[in-house]
Amino acid sequence: MSSPTPAHQPQPQSDPALYESLNVHNVYSQIAPHFSQTRHKPWPLVSNFLLSQPPGSLGLDIGCGNGKYLDVNPAVYLLGSDRSPELIRLALEEGADRKSAVDGSKARGREVCVADGLALPFPAGRADFVISVAVVHHFSTRERRVEAVRRLLECVRGGGKVLVYVWALEQGSSRRGWDEGMEQDQLVPWVMRRNQPKKNKDRDRKEVEGEEGKEEKTFQRYYHLYRKGELEEDVVSAGGTVVDSGFERDNWWTVATRP
Amino acid sequence: MKVLTLNFLTCAVKACKSSSDSFPLHPKDAELVHDDVEVNAQLLTNLLHRLDWKALRTTATELGFPDLPETAPTQEDLENDEKTLKDLHNLLIETQMMEGKLVCGHCGHEYAVREGIANFLLPTHLV
């Protein structure tokens, strides 16, 4: 086994969109199948939010990844979008034979598309609710994070609710060891084991021999770790109103509405 | 991608959002497939009020379906008239666009649809 690669702190960037393209989008493209294998269990608070929506509601899951939330409540019409074409393909493929995580009923077929969080293809004010789980923390400047929240708020009708989840800085009990007062912008390693040993031709990436001839490859993803109260500040800056918020499993979450 | 989803999609270009020409997107070279799906009368009935009926009429016509009535059926219509319910189910839920393009009527940008997935990522000059 190789020792985990320590997190690096990113340097200030002159082109945040390019930076995210290299340190978020490209990484998800390469780790998509492995990432997806580890992301099947819906978080209870998100599931409860989805199940609390009236039948026939129109919902959006912005940054749906492999689509694990799309089948939770078969009584609502939930559209998913993600920046990663690879994850969207997986969401569609897995949706074809998955059953609802809640009641075991057969999934209705998933409705997903590829879209950037800052250029969403959804008409303003049509959705009854929006969820965006573990997405906004991938934008690398505050301006872009606030803009991302603003785009989520624009999608819902007046009174419609937006649930946002972001990774917390305060997670002293987790193995990552981040906590209050530490650097909030981090490159977080994703270690992927490959079954087929392959010559390393890419010198930019760290690649080490694992046990039994297997290779491990480490990718660095950019995160902005939210401190307590920061998500609410971003919601207010985006023109929203916080109706509920809290901490769950090393994440800050908030439910917001727009006027 | 179901026809129902087309009723909830518009152009991803920010400047187009305020133009009524950007919605609905116009299918081009659309390849449709029909999936048999069990009728979920409750879901359809409940979704009625979320539909933009005028946009749906446009989409249905552009995809070669018979003209829809000028006004949307009411919940009572769907509950009492099985044919109306089945026709809507056939169009909205069972009809899938698998290949082709979705075109914005305002900026003219064409979004590719491949294997049922629309891609709304914009080229740099449109961001």
Side-chain angles (χ1 to χ4, degrees), chain A:
Chain A
M1 285 290 286
S2 65
S3 56
T5 306
H8 299 294
Q9 283 163 19
Q11 302 301 308
Q13 298 301 315
S14 57
D15 186 342
L18 176 64
Y19 181 78
E20 290 155 19
S21 165
L22 295 172
N23 293 286
V24 179
H25 309 152
N26 283 4
V27 176
Y28 278 106
S29 285
Q30 295 178 82
I31 70 173
H34 184 228
F35 175 82
S36 178
Q37 284 168 22
T38 68
R39 293 293 186 282
H40 279 145
K41 202 172 172 193
W43 291 348
L45 203 133
V46 181
S47 290
N48 290 341
F49 179 82
L50 292 171
L51 290 166
S52 72
Q53 304 301 324
S57 298
L58 169 67
L60 303 173
D61 182 353
I62 310 295
C64 67
N66 70 348
K68 68 175 175 177
Y69 291 111
L70 298 178
D71 314 323
V72 167
N73 184 353
V76 304
Y77 197 66
L78 184 55
L79 307 179
S81 75
D82 200 279
R83 180 63 180 69
S84 164
E86 291 80 7
L87 284 172
I88 283 296
R89 181 165 296 276
L90 287 169
L92 201 61
E93 286 169 3
E94 296 187 14
D97 49 31
R98 285 193 82 74
K99 290 182 174 179
S100 164
V102 172
D103 64 2
S105 63
K106 184 133 173 40
R108 195 176 52 242
R110 290 170 168 175
E111 293 298 295
V112 289
C113 64
V114 180
D116 191 293
L118 299 182
L120 293 171
F122 305 112
R126 290 279 304 283
D128 294 300
F129 68 93
V130 170
I131 65 171
S132 189
V133 180
V135 177
V136 174
H137 54 212
H138 283 312
F139 290 99
S140 62
T141 67
R142 173 157 201 260
E143 191 186 13
R144 289 167 67 80
R145 290 188 290 275
V146 170
E147 189 64 18
V149 174
R150 184 176 290 122
R151 301 299 169 91
L152 300 177
L153 287 164
E154 279 170 1
C155 290
V156 287
R157 59 172 169 77
K161 287 177 179 170
V162 178
L163 174 66
V164 186
Y165 253 77
V166 289
W167 221 2
L169 178 64
E170 300 85 352
Q171 39 177 302
S173 58
S174 87
R175 66 187 170 90
R176 308 271 187 190
W178 296 306
D179 214 338
E180 198 181 339
M182 291 174 80
E183 171 61 42
Q184 288 180 261
D185 295 295
Q186 297 278 354
L187 285 167
V188 180
W190 179 275
V191 180
M192 187 160 71
R193 178 167 291 187
R194 303 161 65 108
N195 290 322
Q196 296 290 323
K198 211 171 134 187
K199 280 279 178 203
N200 179 13
K201 289 173 183 167
D202 186 347
R203 282 159 198 273
D204 294 336
R205 265 184 229 119
K206 189 178 178 182
E207 195 161 348
V208 288
E209 286 287 327
E211 54 188 334
E212 295 164 18
K214 288 179 179 174
E215 281 180 19
E216 284 185 355
K217 198 166 186 173
T218 300
F219 300 88
Q220 303 283 354
R221 282 176 304 168
Y222 169 83
Y223 278 87
H224 176 80
L225 303 172
Y226 272 73
R227 58 170 168 74
K228 185 179 185 183
E230 186 178 4
L231 181 57
E232 289 92 327
E233 290 166 21
D234 283 2
V235 165
V236 171
S237 297
T241 307
V242 175
V243 292
D244 201 1
S245 57
F247 181 85
E248 190 198 53
R249 299 176 184 218
D250 298 332
N251 285 269
W252 294 111
W253 59 268
T254 182
V255 175
T257 56
R258 64 170 184 81

Side-chain angles (χ1 to χ4, degrees), chain B residues 15-69:
Chain B
C16 290
K17 287 270 166 70
S18 56
S19 165
S20 58
D21 294 336
S22 64
F23 178 81
L25 297 171
H26 304 288
K28 184 180 166 189
D29 306 327
E31 288 178 27
L32 305 179
V33 296
H34 182 273
D35 280 348
D36 285 328
V37 182
E38 204 178 321
V39 179
N40 185 339
Q42 201 195 1
L43 181 75
L44 263 186
T45 308
N46 287 329
L47 270 168
L48 255 190
H49 73 292
R50 305 308 303 154
L51 291 177
D52 184 316
W53 189 257
K54 189 164 164 262
L56 181 63
R57 290 186 76 216
T58 304
T59 304
T61 304
E62 290 176 351
L63 290 176
F65 280 77
D67 286 347
L68 293 175

